[in-house]
Amino acid sequence: MQQTAMFTGIIPPVSTIFTAEGQLDKQGTAALIDDMIAAGVDGLFFLGSGGEFSQLNAEERKAIARFAIEHVDRRVPVLIGTGGTNARETVELSQHAQQAGADGIVVINPYYWKVSEQNLVGYFQQVADSVTLPVMLYNFPALTGQDLTPALVKTLVDSRQNIVGIKDTIDSVAHLRSMIQTVKAAHPHFTVLCGYDDHLFNTLLLGGDGAISASGNFAPQISVKLLEAFRDGDLALAAHYHQTLLQIPQIYQLDTPFVNVIKEAIVLCGRAVSTHVLPPASPLDEAGKARLKSILQQLKLC
């Protein structure tokens, strides 16, 4: 059993850039990747919610995974999202990620059906057993309709050595605290990363490890500097950056799903990329763009 945490720090969930025809925009995605690495991120997570995995078929997901792994070229660790509603496809995508050279996979719990705890444990164990890669769990109950409780997560970590962490995308300090106290206390190597920008500081103060949050696409420097200040023991400076992160989530209310908002923010913050999104998402309307620009200007991000 490893004794140190893997995949710590700031690991942005990378937006997949598409052409107007809905194909992978390799040039745009590559430029975004390079920007985030230059900003000092600790890793990159592809094919999460912001990567529009749920709007892609299996072959498209494989192609994006291959491109991302090849372009990053070991500069930072690469995590590939492989979860979905179909356990067989999740195993297939997980094994593909391993063959393509990923450093780890991120697996959301199946959605649509609510799954019994016994079946949920079996699902994650099946996926973990299908690869030798480290497995990060992905908890997003607002979208899946089902919470991965700290007790359930501990059961999984107790049972499989390659289940090494969780992206806990939940707007609850209590949930993050319990995850750290229940799972990380028993397994110090277990990584707890928050999924919301405004919980990074809380997560670090509680003993967690960092964040996988959307602002890393358009303002990675804020989270990177907050983490650096925290590690240096400068809590006043960390709190300064926290004040900005506290305001960022209001932009995610501008549309649902908000993948279009993230891409528009990337453009407003200085990187010219295609803002095309896959249906059922649609382009952000002009009122939304104006409100987004106003918020980013207030936060001095553009």
Side-chain angles (χ1 to χ4, degrees):
M1 172 65 71
Q2 68 200 58
Q3 298 303 315
T4 57
M6 302 176 70
F7 311 130
T8 63
I10 307 306
I11 305 176
V14 183
S15 292
T16 307
I17 307 302
F18 296 102
T19 67
E21 295 73 38
Q23 302 300 309
L24 173 64
D25 182 339
K26 293 184 177 181
Q27 183 178 352
T29 302
L32 182 59
I33 289 169
D34 294 344
D35 283 349
M36 288 188 279
I37 293 175
V41 301
D42 300 287
L44 293 169
F45 168 38
F46 296 90
L47 295 165
S49 304
E52 299 178 67
F53 83 92
S54 59
Q55 289 95 278
L56 295 161
N57 64 39
E59 292 309 309
E60 290 171 327
R61 292 174 70 173
K62 289 178 183 179
I64 291 168
R66 281 193 300 270
F67 172 78
I69 292 164
E70 289 172 6
H71 186 75
V72 173
D73 194 24
R74 300 292 171 190
R75 287 177 287 171
V76 296
V78 169
L79 296 170
I80 300 294
T82 61
T85 58
N86 179 332
R88 294 170 299 162
E89 185 172 273
T90 298
V91 166
E92 177 186 341
L93 291 170
S94 299
Q95 292 174 339
H96 175 269
Q98 177 165 304
Q99 293 160 3
D103 295 286
I105 57 173
V106 182
V107 186
I108 200 162
N109 45 309
Y111 43 94
Y112 183 73
W113 282 108
K114 288 191 176 180
V115 182
S116 72
E117 183 167 317
Q118 178 181 354
N119 286 335
L120 200 52
V121 167
Y123 167 78
F124 282 114
Q125 289 175 337
Q126 178 188 1
V127 176
D129 290 343
S130 74
V131 293
T132 57
L133 282 178
V135 178
M136 292 281 293
L137 307 176
Y138 185 177
N139 187 37
F140 202 164
L143 295 187
T144 66
Q146 190 165 6
D147 181 39
L148 300 182
T149 66
L152 183 143
V153 171
K154 183 176 182 297
T155 296
L156 286 168
V157 182
D158 288 344
S159 73
R160 295 296 186 275
Q161 290 192 7
N162 64 329
I163 297 179
V164 302
I166 189 167
K167 177 188 179 187
D168 204 13
T169 306
I170 187 166
D171 195 14
S172 167
V173 176
H175 198 280
L176 288 159
R177 180 177 63 237
S178 182
M179 193 68 69
I180 292 163
Q181 292 178 343
T182 301
V183 188
K184 199 171 178 68
H187 300 278
H189 73 281
F190 187 78
T191 300
V192 178
L193 301 168
C194 65
Y196 285 123
D197 304 279
D198 49 343
H199 283 305
L200 171 57
F201 197 27
N202 297 331
T203 300
L204 296 173
L205 288 168
L206 289 166
D209 301 281
I212 300 180
S213 55
S215 68
N217 285 277
F218 57 87
Q221 71 279 6
I222 304 300
S223 295
V224 168
K225 289 178 179 177
L226 189 159
L227 178 62
E228 182 180 333
F230 181 84
R231 288 175 171 170
D232 288 343
D234 191 341
L235 296 186
L237 183 57
H240 167 75
Y241 293 116
H242 179 54
Q243 287 180 308
T244 299
L245 290 181
L246 283 172
Q247 299 303 319
I248 284 178
Q250 62 186 304
I251 73 172
Y252 308 143
Q253 308 303 314
L254 294 174
D255 200 6
T256 303
F258 58 76
V259 290
N260 53 0
V261 177
I262 303 304
K263 292 180 182 181
E264 294 292 346
I266 292 168
V267 173
L268 287 169
C269 290
R271 167 55 65 186
V273 295
S274 165
T275 58
H276 182 82
V277 290
L278 302 181
S282 60
L284 187 64
D285 62 25
E286 293 305 315
K289 290 179 185 179
R291 177 61 180 148
L292 173 63
K293 185 175 182 178
S294 174
I295 294 169
L296 293 176
Q297 287 176 333
Q298 290 170 21
L299 297 176
K300 298 181 170 57
L301 294 177
C302 74

